Every structure is written in C-alpha cells, then in structure tokens.
Amino acid sequence: MANNTFYNEILTEHNMNPTHKHELPDANFSLEGINPSCGDDIVLNLKVEDGKIVDGAFTGDGCAISQASADMMLDLIIGKSKEEAMHLADIFLRMIKEGNISDEEKDELEEAGILSDIAHMPSRVKCAVLGWHTMEEMLGDKAE
C-alpha cells in the first residue's frame, strides 16, 4: 500500500505541478504526439546543442499519466546527450510494454520507474509512452 501511495503522490505532483509544461520559444526541435485512442495530445519541444539536450518543455492536454510521464521524461533527459536520452527511452518503453527490466535499469529511470505497473494496464500504456515515443521520433536520426 505504501508503494501505491508513493505512486499516487508522484503522479499527482507531476500532473498538477509539472516543471516542464510551458512554451519553449528557443527550441530547435518540436514535434506533436497524439494518442488518438483517448485524445492525449502533446507538443514536445527540445533545445539541442552539440548533441546535448540543454532544455525541454511540453504543452498540450491529456490524462494524468500522459502529462506526468512527459514531465518525468524531461526531468531525466535534460542535460543528457541524444544517445543517453535514447537509452533511457529504450529502458522506459521496455518497462511499459514488456514489464521486464532489471533493477539497475529501473534505477536509471529515477521517478519514471514508478510507472512500471502501467505494464499491467493495457488501456494506459499508450498514455505513458506518448512523450517517450515523441522524443524518440524527434531525435531518431536527425539530432546532431
């Protein structure tokens, strides 16, 4: 029960008071991500310099899980290289879609690791991965 309370507190905090939900006028990468099954819609904005994510933000609307997950993702990837961000996305997506990552990998995800139980909620998986898929698509092969 304590873990469920911790999960709810973190999810609520990132949803009600997201650190990274704002405009980012000097972003040099921007991509909209849409979850047509439930209507979640975010625009992810990143400022990437010399292969490093120096700032990031998102705007849009959606459920608590999509908004909190995007905010947690930005907490993790700002200050990281493109490769490090893609590595974290790989871990997160395997955690949500397959439910099997190591304890060490879960530790790399920091707070985002609390979303691991979503792997058991098929209707919420697309919500949790929206920001991460958007970031992967954005950085795929084009971020220098």
Side-chain angles (χ1 to χ4, degrees):
M1 186 63 149
N3 282 346
N4 196 26
T5 300
F6 184 62
Y7 164 86
N8 286 331
E9 287 175 4
I10 291 176
L11 190 70
T12 300
E13 181 60 28
H14 278 279
N15 185 50
M16 300 299 291
N17 302 301
T19 305
H20 305 288
K21 188 172 184 178
H22 55 83
E23 297 290 334
L24 189 64
D26 60 346
N28 53 359
F29 287 87
S30 184
L31 186 65
E32 183 175 26
I34 300 171
N35 178 357
S37 63
C38 69
D40 293 340
D41 182 0
I42 68 164
V43 176
L44 181 62
N45 295 290
L46 297 178
K47 183 174 181 183
V48 180
E49 294 177 350
D50 299 321
K52 184 176 181 180
I53 300 163
V54 296
D55 203 358
F58 73 101
T59 57
D61 296 301
C63 69
I65 292 172
S66 72
Q67 302 294 288
S69 182
D71 198 53
M72 288 182 215
M73 176 193 73
L74 285 163
D75 276 349
L76 272 176
I77 67 168
I78 293 171
K80 303 273 192 312
S81 69
K82 169 195 163 190
E83 292 77 19
E84 290 169 316
M86 295 297 271
H87 169 74
L88 291 167
D90 174 65
I91 294 171
F92 184 84
L93 294 170
R94 282 189 292 113
M95 175 184 78
I96 297 296
K97 293 179 176 180
E98 301 165 18
N100 59 346
I101 61 171
S102 70
D103 289 341
E104 292 80 16
E105 288 176 317
K106 191 170 181 179
D107 287 345
E108 286 185 68
L109 295 177
E110 299 175 10
E111 280 188 334
I114 65 144
L115 298 176
S116 62
D117 286 342
I118 289 173
H120 308 295
M121 299 180 244
S123 65
R124 306 309 297 214
V125 166
K126 288 183 180 179
C127 305
V129 301
L130 179 61
W132 296 85
H133 274 311
T134 305
M135 186 262 297
E136 268 193 329
E137 186 179 339
M138 180 188 302
L139 295 182
D141 290 319
K142 49 187 184 173
E144 301 287 317

